[in-house]
Amino acid sequence: MAVALLHHLLDGNQTLHFLSKSSACRRPFTLRPIRVTMSHNQSYWTSINGEIEAHLKQTIPLRPPLEVFEPMRHFVLSAPETTAPALCVAACELVGGHRDQSIATASALHLMYTASFVHEQLPLTDRPRPKSRPMTHHTYNPNIELLIPDAMVPFGFELLAKADDPTQNNSDRILRVIIEIARAMGSQGMVEGQYHELESSSQWDNEEVSNIAWIEHVCKKKDGGLHACAAMCGAILGGGGEEEIEKLRRFGLYVGMIRGMSSGIGKKEKGLVRVVEELRNLALKELDEFEGGKFEAISSFVNA
Amino acid sequence: MAVALLHHLLDGNQTLHFLSKSSACRRPFTLRPIRVTMSHNQSYWTSINGEIEAHLKQTIPLRPPLEVFEPMRHFVLSAPETTAPALCVAACELVGGHRDQSIATASALHLMYTASFVHEQLPLTDRPRPKSRPMTHHTYNPNIELLIPDAMVPFGFELLAKADDPTQNNSDRILRVIIEIARAMGSQGMVEGQYHELESSSQWDNEEVSNIAWIEHVCKKKDGGLHACAAMCGAILGGGGEEEIEKLRRFGLYVGMIRGMSSGIGKKEKGLVRVVEELRNLALKELDEFEGGKFEAISSFVNA
């Protein structure tokens, strides 16, 4: 799971140069070549993902009731990768925060994303399977696959609330993060995206234009919303200013949409190449005022 | 739903006298007759439940996406009653708090209980139906019944976090309540109870003794845990001391178990009459040091 997470984002030892447009920017946009070298960033992502995985293993030990915790641990450690938790930590560090301030939130994001994924795969009576969702192997029976995610989501919120540290006087930040994650996972985020994915999947093969609009909407609500929330929460926890928080939220939104379009529901849709390229430019614009080694690392997210 | 909630707890205009034992109590236990008159308490519960319902209607308006909010509102307003939200408000007032401090939490408890109930009723492929669960009418298709509760739980946590009020400096209380509710709804509370209800239901007709032990365990984890959490959270939000919080937690646990045994999975089990009577005595002991009109009202909870 998490150990391998993100490695495929970095495509070899090459150096990439992104040049962004300035026309849509309110202030003059500096054209800046971004050097993304694998050797540097790989160790950065490996270290972040290692810490998230260690935190998850520590917080979900094999304790009684084993019938509940064993599948929870299995789901968490075998879920498909998402880059949102690592982005949360990277955003925290980009604004000058310490990694420890965001690891619990990154773990909670992984828990909730996993819960959402397991419910997506649940075999329901009379349920049509969207073509965008691959068939998956079911290790547990449907009751377990329904119940355990219902335990994982509250557990994620417990992790968030327990990150409150009186010595840091960070209650306000923690409560704000809880609200942001609740919105991203709920009725105007992930669940709305899942609803549209289910209800509209029958139109998948009909019209290319509406397909693209539909894919964009689903990616915005699902991967986009999750990554926007992750980056925003990392910036909040790291003590970023409101402008930095908003820039990282938009960066996360674009990056998440790129992820969804490149490796998720849009991966077979050739008409999205131009949209993805535009999203890359928009994402990089948001990083214009950040600097240093962490800037290089987080920039590599646009390279899905 | 909530308007009618609790009315059946009060059985006419009679006056009830509960006399509790002192043997199991650490300190001398005062034998105290409790006068529970319907006219007094009915208006109290009606007013609490009216405010919870008004708060729920206000927080779940029919807004876009309607496909998500319309069923959410339907589930919330048509779910079977639970007395836990009202107990939360009553506990808050019993320790001297104001109703406004607990209404959002009571609403969140109702949302999460409802989400849990809807998932319990979900028609899954190859899912055995526990005999303890009645057949229900399904207004929506399984996809909606799976998805919408996944939106309701985060929404409940959002309501909790938004109850933070800088003018009251109550962040610590809010964060503590979030942790308590997460635990009550999760892997060591509601979900563990649901797991045991599902896995053990095949033994339902076999042995009376194990049936009773099984019912007690499920009631402790489900209704017991929910009511314990509700009463505890009300006391926390109302500014109760640690001893009051703990007494009300135990009171809620016993009251919830009585509810589960009397009207839930244990309602056909005649062997539970003695257990319920003992739980009533234990519950009333916990209220020994509380006084006033609110004490009379909350005492009526033992009369399931």
Side-chain angles (χ1 to χ4, degrees), chain B residues 131-166:
Chain B
K131 292 182 182 176
S132 54
R133 292 185 187 165
M135 289 294 287
T136 52
H137 170 68
H138 293 274
T139 307
Y140 299 95
N141 72 49
N143 280 325
I144 294 296
E145 293 191 355
L146 174 63
L147 264 184
I148 304 307
D150 282 353
M152 290 164 72
V153 172
F155 190 50
F157 281 104
E158 184 182 341
L159 284 186
L160 295 174
K162 279 163 66 181
D164 177 44
D165 180 353

mmCIF file of all heavy atoms in Angstrom, chain B residues 131-166:
data_model
loop_
_atom_site.group_PDB
_atom_site.id
_atom_site.type_symbol
_atom_site.label_atom_id
_atom_site.label_comp_id
_atom_site.label_asym_id
_atom_site.label_seq_id
_atom_site.Cartn_x
_atom_site.Cartn_y
_atom_site.Cartn_z
ATOM 1 N N LYS B 131 -33.015 -12.603 12.682
ATOM 2 C CA LYS B 131 -34.421 -12.649 13.042
ATOM 3 C C LYS B 131 -34.824 -11.460 13.899
ATOM 4 O O LYS B 131 -36.002 -11.124 14.005
ATOM 5 C CB LYS B 131 -34.708 -13.953 13.790
ATOM 6 C CG LYS B 131 -34.578 -15.178 12.916
ATOM 7 C CD LYS B 131 -34.923 -16.432 13.695
ATOM 8 C CE LYS B 131 -34.733 -17.669 12.807
ATOM 9 N NZ LYS B 131 -34.962 -18.906 13.558
ATOM 10 N N SER B 132 -33.819 -10.855 14.561
ATOM 11 C CA SER B 132 -34.121 -9.725 15.432
ATOM 12 C C SER B 132 -34.467 -8.466 14.648
ATOM 13 O O SER B 132 -34.931 -7.495 15.214
ATOM 14 C CB SER B 132 -32.922 -9.453 16.338
ATOM 15 O OG SER B 132 -31.745 -9.291 15.562
ATOM 16 N N ARG B 133 -34.213 -8.465 13.348
ATOM 17 C CA ARG B 133 -34.483 -7.266 12.556
ATOM 18 C C ARG B 133 -35.746 -7.436 11.724
ATOM 19 O O ARG B 133 -35.841 -8.346 10.911
ATOM 20 C CB ARG B 133 -33.311 -6.962 11.623
ATOM 21 C CG ARG B 133 -32.085 -6.528 12.379
ATOM 22 C CD ARG B 133 -31.005 -6.128 11.404
ATOM 23 N NE ARG B 133 -29.764 -5.867 12.124
ATOM 24 C CZ ARG B 133 -28.579 -5.778 11.545
ATOM 25 N NH1 ARG B 133 -28.479 -5.932 10.241
ATOM 26 N NH2 ARG B 133 -27.506 -5.538 12.257
ATOM 27 N N PRO B 134 -36.690 -6.530 11.905
ATOM 28 C CA PRO B 134 -37.927 -6.634 11.136
ATOM 29 C C PRO B 134 -37.680 -6.299 9.662
ATOM 30 O O PRO B 134 -36.729 -5.616 9.321
ATOM 31 C CB PRO B 134 -38.821 -5.573 11.774
ATOM 32 C CG PRO B 134 -37.866 -4.569 12.346
ATOM 33 C CD PRO B 134 -36.639 -5.340 12.744
ATOM 34 N N MET B 135 -38.547 -6.797 8.797
ATOM 35 C CA MET B 135 -38.497 -6.398 7.393
ATOM 36 C C MET B 135 -38.933 -4.938 7.301
ATOM 37 O O MET B 135 -39.844 -4.511 8.006
ATOM 38 C CB MET B 135 -39.471 -7.253 6.567
ATOM 39 C CG MET B 135 -39.033 -8.697 6.386
ATOM 40 S SD MET B 135 -37.533 -8.856 5.393
ATOM 41 C CE MET B 135 -38.206 -8.467 3.768
ATOM 42 N N THR B 136 -38.287 -4.173 6.462
ATOM 43 C CA THR B 136 -38.690 -2.773 6.316
ATOM 44 C C THR B 136 -38.977 -2.456 4.854
ATOM 45 O O THR B 136 -38.485 -3.125 3.951
ATOM 46 C CB THR B 136 -37.581 -1.812 6.791
ATOM 47 O OG1 THR B 136 -36.377 -2.183 6.127
ATOM 48 C CG2 THR B 136 -37.401 -1.872 8.288
ATOM 49 N N HIS B 137 -39.771 -1.408 4.679
ATOM 50 C CA HIS B 137 -40.063 -0.927 3.336
ATOM 51 C C HIS B 137 -38.889 -0.093 2.834
ATOM 52 O O HIS B 137 -38.333 0.709 3.568
ATOM 53 C CB HIS B 137 -41.334 -0.076 3.377
ATOM 54 C CG HIS B 137 -41.580 0.657 2.093
ATOM 55 N ND1 HIS B 137 -41.919 0.005 0.929
ATOM 56 C CD2 HIS B 137 -41.519 1.977 1.792
ATOM 57 C CE1 HIS B 137 -42.063 0.899 -0.037
ATOM 58 N NE2 HIS B 137 -41.824 2.100 0.456
ATOM 59 N N HIS B 138 -38.494 -0.317 1.583
ATOM 60 C CA HIS B 138 -37.377 0.442 1.026
ATOM 61 C C HIS B 138 -37.893 1.494 0.046
ATOM 62 O O HIS B 138 -38.406 1.161 -1.022
ATOM 63 C CB HIS B 138 -36.396 -0.495 0.327
ATOM 64 C CG HIS B 138 -35.695 -1.413 1.274
ATOM 65 N ND1 HIS B 138 -34.544 -1.064 1.949
ATOM 66 C CD2 HIS B 138 -36.006 -2.653 1.708
ATOM 67 C CE1 HIS B 138 -34.172 -2.054 2.737
ATOM 68 N NE2 HIS B 138 -35.045 -3.031 2.615
ATOM 69 N N THR B 139 -37.765 2.752 0.419
ATOM 70 C CA THR B 139 -38.228 3.849 -0.432
ATOM 71 C C THR B 139 -37.262 4.089 -1.585
ATOM 72 O O THR B 139 -37.661 4.500 -2.669
ATOM 73 C CB THR B 139 -38.364 5.142 0.411
ATOM 74 O OG1 THR B 139 -39.183 4.849 1.536
ATOM 75 C CG2 THR B 139 -39.003 6.265 -0.403
ATOM 76 N N TYR B 140 -35.974 3.836 -1.340
ATOM 77 C CA TYR B 140 -34.949 4.127 -2.348
ATOM 78 C C TYR B 140 -34.239 2.840 -2.764
ATOM 79 O O TYR B 140 -34.326 1.821 -2.089
ATOM 80 C CB TYR B 140 -33.942 5.128 -1.790
ATOM 81 C CG TYR B 140 -34.575 6.442 -1.414
ATOM 82 C CD1 TYR B 140 -34.984 6.677 -0.103
ATOM 83 C CD2 TYR B 140 -34.792 7.426 -2.366
ATOM 84 C CE1 TYR B 140 -35.589 7.873 0.243
ATOM 85 C CE2 TYR B 140 -35.399 8.626 -2.027
ATOM 86 C CZ TYR B 140 -35.791 8.842 -0.724
ATOM 87 O OH TYR B 140 -36.392 10.014 -0.386
ATOM 88 N N ASN B 141 -33.503 2.939 -3.871
ATOM 89 C CA ASN B 141 -32.767 1.761 -4.317
ATOM 90 C C ASN B 141 -31.520 1.551 -3.456
ATOM 91 O O ASN B 141 -31.090 2.457 -2.735
ATOM 92 C CB ASN B 141 -32.446 1.849 -5.819
ATOM 93 C CG ASN B 141 -31.368 2.874 -6.125
ATOM 94 O OD1 ASN B 141 -30.311 2.880 -5.493
ATOM 95 N ND2 ASN B 141 -31.621 3.744 -7.083
ATOM 96 N N PRO B 142 -30.930 0.336 -3.509
ATOM 97 C CA PRO B 142 -29.810 0.014 -2.620
ATOM 98 C C PRO B 142 -28.620 0.977 -2.740
ATOM 99 O O PRO B 142 -27.952 1.265 -1.750
ATOM 100 C CB PRO B 142 -29.413 -1.401 -3.054
ATOM 101 C CG PRO B 142 -30.656 -1.978 -3.656
ATOM 102 C CD PRO B 142 -31.352 -0.827 -4.310
ATOM 103 N N ASN B 143 -28.352 1.466 -3.958
ATOM 104 C CA ASN B 143 -27.239 2.407 -4.104
ATOM 105 C C ASN B 143 -27.427 3.634 -3.217
ATOM 106 O O ASN B 143 -26.492 4.113 -2.580
ATOM 107 C CB ASN B 143 -27.120 2.876 -5.563
ATOM 108 C CG ASN B 143 -26.405 1.853 -6.420
ATOM 109 O OD1 ASN B 143 -25.487 1.193 -5.946
ATOM 110 N ND2 ASN B 143 -26.836 1.727 -7.668
ATOM 111 N N ILE B 144 -28.661 4.146 -3.214
ATOM 112 C CA ILE B 144 -28.957 5.336 -2.407
ATOM 113 C C ILE B 144 -28.877 4.987 -0.915
ATOM 114 O O ILE B 144 -28.342 5.760 -0.112
ATOM 115 C CB ILE B 144 -30.358 5.877 -2.772
ATOM 116 C CG1 ILE B 144 -30.354 6.394 -4.219
ATOM 117 C CG2 ILE B 144 -30.803 6.970 -1.808
ATOM 118 C CD1 ILE B 144 -29.434 7.569 -4.459
ATOM 119 N N GLU B 145 -29.372 3.822 -0.566
ATOM 120 C CA GLU B 145 -29.355 3.433 0.850
ATOM 121 C C GLU B 145 -27.939 3.123 1.347
ATOM 122 O O GLU B 145 -27.685 3.138 2.546
ATOM 123 C CB GLU B 145 -30.281 2.229 1.077
ATOM 124 C CG GLU B 145 -31.739 2.602 0.847
ATOM 125 C CD GLU B 145 -32.714 1.531 1.305
ATOM 126 O OE1 GLU B 145 -32.269 0.453 1.723
ATOM 127 O OE2 GLU B 145 -33.925 1.800 1.248
ATOM 128 N N LEU B 146 -27.048 2.827 0.427
ATOM 129 C CA LEU B 146 -25.637 2.668 0.815
ATOM 130 C C LEU B 146 -24.954 4.035 0.877
ATOM 131 O O LEU B 146 -24.257 4.357 1.838
ATOM 132 C CB LEU B 146 -24.915 1.769 -0.200
ATOM 133 C CG LEU B 146 -23.402 1.632 -0.009
ATOM 134 C CD1 LEU B 146 -23.071 0.978 1.327
ATOM 135 C CD2 LEU B 146 -22.783 0.825 -1.144
ATOM 136 N N LEU B 147 -25.158 4.845 -0.153
ATOM 137 C CA LEU B 147 -24.419 6.107 -0.299
ATOM 138 C C LEU B 147 -24.811 7.171 0.724
ATOM 139 O O LEU B 147 -23.942 7.825 1.309
ATOM 140 C CB LEU B 147 -24.693 6.697 -1.689
ATOM 141 C CG LEU B 147 -23.698 6.429 -2.799
ATOM 142 C CD1 LEU B 147 -24.107 7.188 -4.044
ATOM 143 C CD2 LEU B 147 -22.287 6.837 -2.376
ATOM 144 N N ILE B 148 -26.115 7.374 0.912
ATOM 145 C CA ILE B 148 -26.554 8.529 1.706
ATOM 146 C C ILE B 148 -26.088 8.441 3.164
ATOM 147 O O ILE B 148 -25.605 9.432 3.712
ATOM 148 C CB ILE B 148 -28.085 8.727 1.587
ATOM 149 C CG1 ILE B 148 -28.474 8.869 0.098
ATOM 150 C CG2 ILE B 148 -28.540 9.947 2.371
ATOM 151 C CD1 ILE B 148 -27.704 9.944 -0.666
ATOM 152 N N PRO B 149 -26.179 7.273 3.805
ATOM 153 C CA PRO B 149 -25.604 7.202 5.153
ATOM 154 C C PRO B 149 -24.104 7.521 5.180
ATOM 155 O O PRO B 149 -23.603 8.058 6.164
ATOM 156 C CB PRO B 149 -25.879 5.749 5.573
ATOM 157 C CG PRO B 149 -27.112 5.379 4.810
ATOM 158 C CD PRO B 149 -26.936 6.038 3.479
ATOM 159 N N ASP B 150 -23.404 7.195 4.088
ATOM 160 C CA ASP B 150 -21.979 7.543 4.019
ATOM 161 C C ASP B 150 -21.778 9.058 3.990
ATOM 162 O O ASP B 150 -20.679 9.547 4.285
ATOM 163 C CB ASP B 150 -21.330 6.914 2.771
ATOM 164 C CG ASP B 150 -21.042 5.424 2.972
ATOM 165 O OD1 ASP B 150 -21.222 4.935 4.105
ATOM 166 O OD2 ASP B 150 -20.639 4.768 2.001
ATOM 167 N N ALA B 151 -22.817 9.790 3.597
ATOM 168 C CA ALA B 151 -22.752 11.259 3.660
ATOM 169 C C ALA B 151 -23.232 11.765 5.016
ATOM 170 O O ALA B 151 -22.796 12.815 5.481
ATOM 171 C CB ALA B 151 -23.604 11.868 2.545
ATOM 172 N N MET B 152 -24.141 11.016 5.647
ATOM 173 C CA MET B 152 -24.742 11.496 6.901
ATOM 174 C C MET B 152 -23.759 11.479 8.061
ATOM 175 O O MET B 152 -23.789 12.359 8.928
ATOM 176 C CB MET B 152 -25.969 10.640 7.234
ATOM 177 C CG MET B 152 -27.124 10.890 6.271
ATOM 178 S SD MET B 152 -28.388 9.595 6.356
ATOM 179 C CE MET B 152 -29.129 9.976 7.933
ATOM 180 N N VAL B 153 -22.894 10.482 8.089
ATOM 181 C CA VAL B 153 -21.954 10.380 9.217
ATOM 182 C C VAL B 153 -20.962 11.552 9.210
ATOM 183 O O VAL B 153 -20.803 12.237 10.227
ATOM 184 C CB VAL B 153 -21.261 9.000 9.237
ATOM 185 C CG1 VAL B 153 -20.159 8.965 10.284
ATOM 186 C CG2 VAL B 153 -22.297 7.913 9.515
ATOM 187 N N PRO B 154 -20.278 11.824 8.076
ATOM 188 C CA PRO B 154 -19.420 13.010 8.077
ATOM 189 C C PRO B 154 -20.204 14.293 8.380
ATOM 190 O O PRO B 154 -19.705 15.176 9.070
ATOM 191 C CB PRO B 154 -18.867 13.059 6.643
ATOM 192 C CG PRO B 154 -18.988 11.675 6.138
ATOM 193 C CD PRO B 154 -20.187 11.083 6.802
ATOM 194 N N PHE B 155 -21.433 14.376 7.875
ATOM 195 C CA PHE B 155 -22.242 15.563 8.129
ATOM 196 C C PHE B 155 -22.495 15.723 9.635
ATOM 197 O O PHE B 155 -22.479 16.838 10.172
ATOM 198 C CB PHE B 155 -23.566 15.461 7.362
ATOM 199 C CG PHE B 155 -24.366 16.727 7.355
ATOM 200 C CD1 PHE B 155 -23.798 17.936 7.010
ATOM 201 C CD2 PHE B 155 -25.709 16.710 7.693
ATOM 202 C CE1 PHE B 155 -24.547 19.107 7.004
ATOM 203 C CE2 PHE B 155 -26.464 17.869 7.694
ATOM 204 C CZ PHE B 155 -25.885 19.069 7.346
ATOM 205 N N GLY B 156 -22.714 14.607 10.315
ATOM 206 C CA GLY B 156 -22.879 14.644 11.773
ATOM 207 C C GLY B 156 -21.630 15.194 12.452
ATOM 208 O O GLY B 156 -21.720 16.033 13.358
ATOM 209 N N PHE B 157 -20.461 14.744 11.997
ATOM 210 C CA PHE B 157 -19.211 15.248 12.598
ATOM 211 C C PHE B 157 -19.016 16.733 12.267
ATOM 212 O O PHE B 157 -18.466 17.484 13.076
ATOM 213 C CB PHE B 157 -18.018 14.406 12.142
ATOM 214 C CG PHE B 157 -17.900 13.102 12.885
ATOM 215 C CD1 PHE B 157 -18.282 11.905 12.298
ATOM 216 C CD2 PHE B 157 -17.438 13.072 14.200
ATOM 217 C CE1 PHE B 157 -18.194 10.704 12.996
ATOM 218 C CE2 PHE B 157 -17.353 11.875 14.903
ATOM 219 C CZ PHE B 157 -17.731 10.682 14.306
ATOM 220 N N GLU B 158 -19.468 17.140 11.083
ATOM 221 C CA GLU B 158 -19.392 18.569 10.740
ATOM 222 C C GLU B 158 -20.254 19.387 11.708
ATOM 223 O O GLU B 158 -19.820 20.434 12.192
ATOM 224 C CB GLU B 158 -19.852 18.779 9.289
ATOM 225 C CG GLU B 158 -19.719 20.226 8.832
ATOM 226 C CD GLU B 158 -20.226 20.459 7.411
ATOM 227 O OE1 GLU B 158 -20.353 19.477 6.653
ATOM 228 O OE2 GLU B 158 -20.497 21.628 7.075
ATOM 229 N N LEU B 159 -21.455 18.895 11.987
ATOM 230 C CA LEU B 159 -22.331 19.600 12.942
ATOM 231 C C LEU B 159 -21.652 19.736 14.302
ATOM 232 O O LEU B 159 -21.724 20.784 14.942
ATOM 233 C CB LEU B 159 -23.652 18.833 13.133
ATOM 234 C CG LEU B 159 -24.714 18.902 12.051
ATOM 235 C CD1 LEU B 159 -25.979 18.204 12.532
ATOM 236 C CD2 LEU B 159 -25.010 20.348 11.680
ATOM 237 N N LEU B 160 -21.003 18.658 14.731
ATOM 238 C CA LEU B 160 -20.319 18.689 16.029
ATOM 239 C C LEU B 160 -19.214 19.744 16.039
ATOM 240 O O LEU B 160 -19.127 20.559 16.950
ATOM 241 C CB LEU B 160 -19.710 17.317 16.341
ATOM 242 C CG LEU B 160 -20.673 16.152 16.556
ATOM 243 C CD1 LEU B 160 -19.913 14.844 16.709
ATOM 244 C CD2 LEU B 160 -21.546 16.400 17.787
ATOM 245 N N ALA B 161 -18.365 19.703 15.006
ATOM 246 C CA ALA B 161 -17.216 20.617 14.975
ATOM 247 C C ALA B 161 -17.680 22.070 14.856
ATOM 248 O O ALA B 161 -17.055 22.977 15.413
ATOM 249 C CB ALA B 161 -16.291 20.254 13.817
ATOM 250 N N LYS B 162 -18.791 22.284 14.157
ATOM 251 C CA LYS B 162 -19.284 23.659 13.985
ATOM 252 C C LYS B 162 -19.943 24.196 15.263
ATOM 253 O O LYS B 162 -20.231 25.393 15.349
ATOM 254 C CB LYS B 162 -20.286 23.715 12.820
ATOM 255 C CG LYS B 162 -19.579 23.793 11.465
ATOM 256 C CD LYS B 162 -20.488 23.453 10.314
ATOM 257 C CE LYS B 162 -21.604 24.411 10.089
ATOM 258 N NZ LYS B 162 -22.458 23.975 8.941
ATOM 259 N N ALA B 163 -20.183 23.320 16.232
ATOM 260 C CA ALA B 163 -20.749 23.787 17.505
ATOM 261 C C ALA B 163 -19.698 24.512 18.338
ATOM 262 O O ALA B 163 -20.001 25.054 19.399
ATOM 263 C CB ALA B 163 -21.331 22.606 18.284
ATOM 264 N N ASP B 164 -18.460 24.486 17.847
ATOM 265 C CA ASP B 164 -17.403 25.237 18.521
ATOM 266 C C ASP B 164 -17.762 26.719 18.517
ATOM 267 O O ASP B 164 -18.099 27.282 17.482
ATOM 268 C CB ASP B 164 -16.084 25.022 17.759
ATOM 269 C CG ASP B 164 -14.948 25.832 18.362
ATOM 270 O OD1 ASP B 164 -14.828 25.857 19.599
ATOM 271 O OD2 ASP B 164 -14.194 26.446 17.590
ATOM 272 N N ASP B 165 -17.705 27.346 19.689
ATOM 273 C CA ASP B 165 -18.084 28.752 19.808
ATOM 274 C C ASP B 165 -16.970 29.508 20.533
ATOM 275 O O ASP B 165 -16.793 29.355 21.744
ATOM 276 C CB ASP B 165 -19.398 28.845 20.596
ATOM 277 C CG ASP B 165 -19.870 30.277 20.756
ATOM 278 O OD1 ASP B 165 -19.121 31.204 20.380
ATOM 279 O OD2 ASP B 165 -20.988 30.467 21.251
ATOM 280 N N PRO B 166 -16.189 30.299 19.779
ATOM 281 C CA PRO B 166 -15.044 31.008 20.384
ATOM 282 C C PRO B 166 -15.456 31.852 21.604
ATOM 283 O O PRO B 166 -14.665 32.001 22.536
ATOM 284 C CB PRO B 166 -14.547 31.904 19.240
ATOM 285 C CG PRO B 166 -15.023 31.251 17.993
ATOM 286 C CD PRO B 166 -16.321 30.592 18.336
#
